[in-house]
Amino acid sequence: MKKLIYIILVSVFWVSCSEDFLNLAPVSDFADGDFYNTEEDITQALTAAYDNLQGVYGPGENNYNLSELRSDNVYAPASVGHDENTYNIDLFMVNSTNDFTEKNWDKCYHGIYRCNVVLDRIGDIEMSDNLKNQYIGEALTLRAIQYFRLVRLFGDLPFLTTFLSIEDSYEMSRTKAADILAQLIVDLETASEKLPESYENSNKGRVTKGAAQGLLGKILVYSKEYSAAKDALGKVISSGNYKLLSDLVKVYSSTNKNNEEILFSVQYSDDKAEAEFFTPRLYPKGGGTYEDKATGKTVTFPKGGAGYCVPTKELINAFEPGDKRKDYGLQLAFTNSTGQYIEVPFISKFRHEYASGMVSGANWPILRYAEVLLLYAEALNETGDLQGAIDNLNKVRSRAGLANLSSSNIGNQAACREAIYKERRVELMMEGDRWFDLVRTGKAIETMAVQGFKIDDHQLIYPLPQSAIDVTNNFLEQNPGY
């Protein structure tokens, strides 16, 4: 599995061969039409597209390294002994051979290719129109998830929406990020018309209409198309299919997956081949216990922790007094396995139930209803509905145990905007949005200056992986400044 596939680099299409993963035909077979000729074939191809997300957000890529460690939320302590790739992200010293950026590029393009296989071949497959439309909607949404991630990480990209020969793929020029987002908006509008609102239990976890509409609304907010975002997000809210859970523990629990707050999440299981490993890395090394203010219980955490992503003082102080999310998601100290009390904070938000070998079947949330409400509040505020924005902001605050805000303490659009940004920080802590929020709101440079980093505009995105440039014989050009 050393050489993973991505569209502009691909020579052979192959995947992991564990019991539940799908073994697909090589690209040459696809091009010759020897595979993907039946409904079963296309079902396998779509399942493989879902499967790829486990790698995009899973242990090797460390989703929070590129999106949270880069920000003012957390840092990598020198005492833990991370590898050079991790420290370079934290310290704004990333170069084109960083392992994390290469794997994200690799895995996302691998998944995009799988989606394109479905979209290219499904038109010729004999199957019901309803199922064909559903599969098209699912593939469009899965592809949009990965392109949206790549655009936020790297900026302009090779943008491929169909199958190309190897020779042609080596000469794919980069498409402007704004143009890619514009096409993703079109794709998600199409997907939302084709997808069902829900599935029976055996198919829970698949992309729904609400997931496509929610992602559409998020991309529209990023694109500053607030009126259209308001419409898309309003449809999710008015559907009545989603709600805020009263118990924060149940939002992320591996025993309550695909609950009513989750629009879409990456599916994992307790089977080690398809489990998640990312959350144990947030626990301190060596195992120990902590007194959990959220539940009043003593919690024992396992020995396999890595001490990743220590919360900054600024993140800790961002929570208002009485905010339930602080007691639930942050711990300020712990007792190690030898009984020593250590005053070092850590993230406890993803308190998953672990099977043997420090693995968990808990899912990774891509989009939650709480974020939909905050995005909707942002869209309302930017289109002049201050009271509507405050009302939706208060729905999220109320679940956290905080007092409602009103027009008397948020008296104008600018103040409401800042309140929404602050709420996003504490509500979505460690879910992969903080760095991207700083960039899209124009606050990254000034915020990181407070952290002691003098960064330039070019560091708002990452360098392209050198391997991608090399395989195209330098046809792809590096991002300026790297």
Side-chain angles (χ1 to χ4, degrees):
M1 294 297 294
K2 178 70 174 176
K3 188 175 183 181
L4 297 176
I5 311 306
Y6 38 100
I7 298 168
I8 63 168
L9 312 178
V10 64
S11 60
V12 173
F13 181 36
W14 59 297
V15 297
S16 172
C17 298
S18 71
E19 181 179 355
D20 294 317
F21 287 15
L22 296 167
N23 206 356
L24 300 185
V27 166
S28 58
D29 288 350
F30 164 60
D32 293 340
D34 293 336
F35 202 67
Y36 311 114
N37 292 315
T38 68
E39 180 179 320
E40 181 181 0
D41 294 342
I42 212 71
T43 298
Q44 287 185 352
L46 182 59
T47 303
Y50 276 99
D51 170 74
N52 187 76
L53 291 178
Q54 290 184 346
V56 172
Y57 291 91
E61 284 63 48
N62 280 348
N63 174 44
Y64 42 72
N65 270 10
L66 295 174
S67 55
E68 297 283 349
L69 187 61
R70 185 78 156 179
S71 77
D72 58 337
N73 271 358
V74 292
Y75 67 95
S79 59
V80 169
H82 294 302
D83 63 26
E84 182 180 3
N85 292 300
T86 300
Y87 285 123
N88 285 347
I89 290 172
D90 189 24
L91 301 175
F92 290 89
M93 298 170 60
V94 177
N95 59 32
S96 61
T97 59
N98 186 279
D99 190 51
F100 294 115
T101 55
E102 182 172 318
K103 285 180 177 178
N104 268 260
W105 176 281
D106 223 24
K107 273 294 186 181
C108 284
Y109 271 116
H110 194 170
I112 289 164
Y113 177 84
R114 295 182 183 190
C115 293
N116 284 341
V117 167
V118 175
L119 295 168
D120 271 14
R121 294 309 304 270
I122 197 169
D124 298 327
I125 304 297
E126 187 175 331
M127 56 195 298
S128 74
D129 288 342
N130 283 343
L131 187 59
K132 184 175 289 189
N133 282 329
Q134 175 193 314
Y135 279 11
I136 291 170
E138 290 178 82
L140 285 171
T141 306
L142 295 177
R143 188 174 70 183
I145 288 170
Q146 290 163 105
Y147 266 131
F148 185 42
R149 180 170 178 79
L150 286 171
V151 163
R152 291 185 294 172
L153 289 171
F154 300 106
D156 302 346
L157 298 168
F159 186 52
L160 186 59
T161 57
T162 188
F163 177 79
L164 284 183
S165 69
I166 302 303
E167 292 75 15
D168 288 340
S169 70
Y170 286 156
E171 297 184 0
M172 275 292 295
S173 60
R174 295 169 73 179
T175 299
K176 294 292 185 183
D179 293 336
I180 295 175
L181 293 180
Q183 183 58 49
L184 298 186
I185 289 168
V186 173
D187 289 348
L188 289 166
E189 288 172 340
T190 300
S192 66
E193 293 299 319
K194 294 178 179 295
L195 288 164
E197 293 198 5
S198 62
Y199 299 91
E200 70 281 3
N201 287 337
S202 61
N203 277 307
K204 279 190 178 294
R206 302 183 80 104
V207 174
T208 62
K209 181 186 292 290
Q213 290 172 332
L215 181 60
L216 170 61
K218 185 169 183 173
I219 293 176
L220 286 166
V221 168
Y222 268 73
S223 302
K224 300 187 186 305
E225 296 185 28
Y226 297 112
S227 181
K230 181 176 64 174
D231 292 342
L233 296 163
K235 290 177 182 178
V236 176
I237 294 169
S238 64
S239 73
N241 292 327
Y242 307 96
K243 69 176 185 179
L244 296 176
L245 301 190
S246 58
D247 186 350
L248 287 168
V249 175
K250 291 183 179 179
V251 174
Y252 308 98
S253 172
S254 62
T255 62
N256 193 40
K257 300 198 290 187
N258 302 311
N259 58 67
E260 290 176 283
E261 186 163 335
I262 303 298
L263 275 75
F264 185 68
S265 60
V266 182
Q267 306 292 301
Y268 292 93
S269 76
D270 287 334
D271 182 340
K272 191 171 184 179
E274 295 195 45
E276 63 89 355
F277 298 80
F278 41 79
T279 53
R281 298 170 187 242
L282 301 175
Y283 285 118
K285 282 188 172 183
T289 62
Y290 65 89
E291 301 304 316
D292 187 3
K293 293 181 181 179
T295 63
K297 298 178 180 179
T298 299
V299 176
T300 300
F301 59 88
K303 293 183 179 180
Y308 270 47
C309 297
V310 173
T312 62
K313 291 180 180 179
E314 288 79 7
L315 174 61
I316 295 170
N317 293 334
F319 289 88
E320 298 174 35
D323 193 328
K324 295 178 181 178
R325 294 168 298 194
K326 182 177 181 180
D327 286 343
Y328 172 76
L330 286 172
Q331 304 302 322
L332 302 183
F334 65 97
T335 301
N336 67 16
S337 57
T338 64
Q340 185 179 7
Y341 187 71
I342 309 292
E343 293 188 272
V344 173
F346 64 96
I347 303 292
S348 60
K349 183 174 186 176
F350 306 106
R351 49 185 76 191
H352 298 164
E353 299 81 2
Y354 292 102
S356 60
M358 282 293 290
V359 299
S360 166
N363 294 342
W364 181 263
I366 299 291
L367 186 60
R368 292 192 291 116
Y369 188 59
E371 184 176 12
V372 168
L373 291 173
L374 293 176
L375 289 167
Y376 189 54
E378 188 171 343
L380 290 172
N381 185 55
E382 298 300 334
T383 53
D385 186 355
L386 178 63
Q387 189 58 54
I390 294 172
D391 290 344
N392 282 275
L393 176 60
N394 282 336
K395 292 176 184 178
V396 178
R397 289 176 56 83
S398 179
R399 197 260 298 268
L402 298 176
N404 284 344
L405 300 173
S406 68
S407 56
S408 63
N409 46 33
I410 299 184
N412 56 53
Q413 185 185 60
C416 187
R417 185 182 296 128
E418 293 305 313
I420 293 168
Y421 294 164
K422 179 181 178 181
E423 200 66 31
R424 284 184 61 83
R425 183 181 192 182
V426 292
E427 175 65 37
L428 302 175
M429 175 188 70
M430 293 305 291
E431 294 185 38
D433 275 284
R434 179 58 179 172
W435 172 249
F436 303 134
D437 274 352
L438 289 175
V439 172
R440 76 177 178 89
T441 60
K443 294 177 176 293
I445 292 176
E446 64 181 79
T447 299
M448 297 317 298
V450 175
Q451 298 290 311
F453 296 100
K454 188 179 185 302
I455 64 174
D456 297 322
D457 286 341
H458 78 274
Q459 291 169 296
L460 300 180
I461 54 176
Y462 288 92
L464 298 191
Q466 189 61 42
S467 57
I469 295 172
D470 291 344
V471 79
T472 63
N473 293 320
N474 294 313
F475 183 84
L476 277 183
E477 295 182 1
Q478 184 54 269
N479 280 330
Y482 288 105

